[in-house]
């Protein structure tokens, strides 16, 4: 029970993610089969739908936009600040900070991660590992979206008795960029909303909020 309590936030989001993914598969199959019947084609099983390019592109296009959001947020908040927001560090702290502030190299403590006590490339990689991994996942999921999207797009073109297109033609097509940009704009708006609303609004007990009585101008202060 102690382990569950200590990891309850991760576990809660993992369970909700799996339920949402399963729900997407079920609802997506019903919608896909409705379109199949309308075109006089045979419906598919749940497993056939989950293995299809239609399901893959819908999942990948959401994942890539989410990881783009986190990648940009992690990178931008190193140097960019917003006075009064809990999503920003203090205005005077903009930048990568000193080794002493980051507790790396000679300033590492006994309980610091081993790579935080190293130097050179290993320290640089560890010091930027969160942004690098988020950026890599974004790039991989965007690539997966492009491959699955091409397959789904060509499947529809063949059903309409049109010639399929190459991968290069697909990733420069309005179809691909419409799928990408409609997700990007919503994620960027969500981040903007959180940055600005956290200046003036509060949520008691949440680390994403300032203490209820904190001044609106207080920056980088969490409950």
């Amino acid at each position: 029970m102690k382990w569950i309590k200590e990891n309850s936030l991760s576990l809660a989001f993992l369970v909700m993610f799996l339920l949402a993914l399963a729900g997407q598969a079920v609802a997506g199959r019903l919608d896909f089969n409705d379109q199949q019947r309308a075109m006089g084609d045979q419906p598919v099983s749940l497993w056939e739908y989950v293995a299809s390019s239609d399901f893959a592109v819908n999942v990948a296009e959401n994942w890539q936009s989410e990881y783009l959001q986190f990648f940009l947020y992690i990178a931008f908040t190193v140097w960019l600040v917003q006075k009064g927001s809990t999503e920003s560090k203090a205005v005077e702290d903009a930048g990568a900070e000193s080794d002493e502030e980051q507790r790396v190299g000679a300033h590492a403590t006994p309980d610091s991660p081993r790579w935080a006590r190293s130097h050179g490339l290993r320290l640089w990689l560890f010091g930027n590992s969160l942004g690098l991994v988020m950026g890599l996942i974004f790039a991989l999921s965007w690539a997966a979206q492009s491959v699955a999207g091409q397959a789904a797009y060509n499947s529809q073109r063949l059903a309409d008795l049109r010639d399929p297109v190459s991968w290069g033609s697909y990733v420069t097509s309005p179809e691909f960029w419409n799928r990408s940009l409609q997700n990007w704009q919503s994620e960027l708006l969500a981040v903007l909303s959180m940055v600005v609303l956290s200046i003036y609004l509060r949520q008691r007990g949440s680390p994403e909020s300032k203490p209820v009585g904190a001044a609106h101008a207080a920056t980088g202060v969490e409950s």
Side-chain angles (χ1 to χ4, degrees), residues 61-62 65-66 69 179-194:
E61 74 176 59
N62 283 286
S65 63
E66 295 291 346
Q69 172 194 161
R179 280 183 173 273
S180 295
L181 292 172
Q182 67 178 319
N183 284 283
W184 292 4
Q185 54 87 13
S186 63
E187 301 301 338
L188 296 173
L189 176 62
V191 173
L192 173 62
S193 300
M194 188 64 184

Side-chain angles (χ1 to χ4, degrees), residues 72-81 87-89 93-95 195:
L72 293 178
Y73 182 73
I74 291 165
F76 284 10
T77 51
V78 174
W79 300 98
L80 305 182
V81 296
E87 301 302 305
S88 167
K89 62 173 71 176
D93 292 337
V195 168

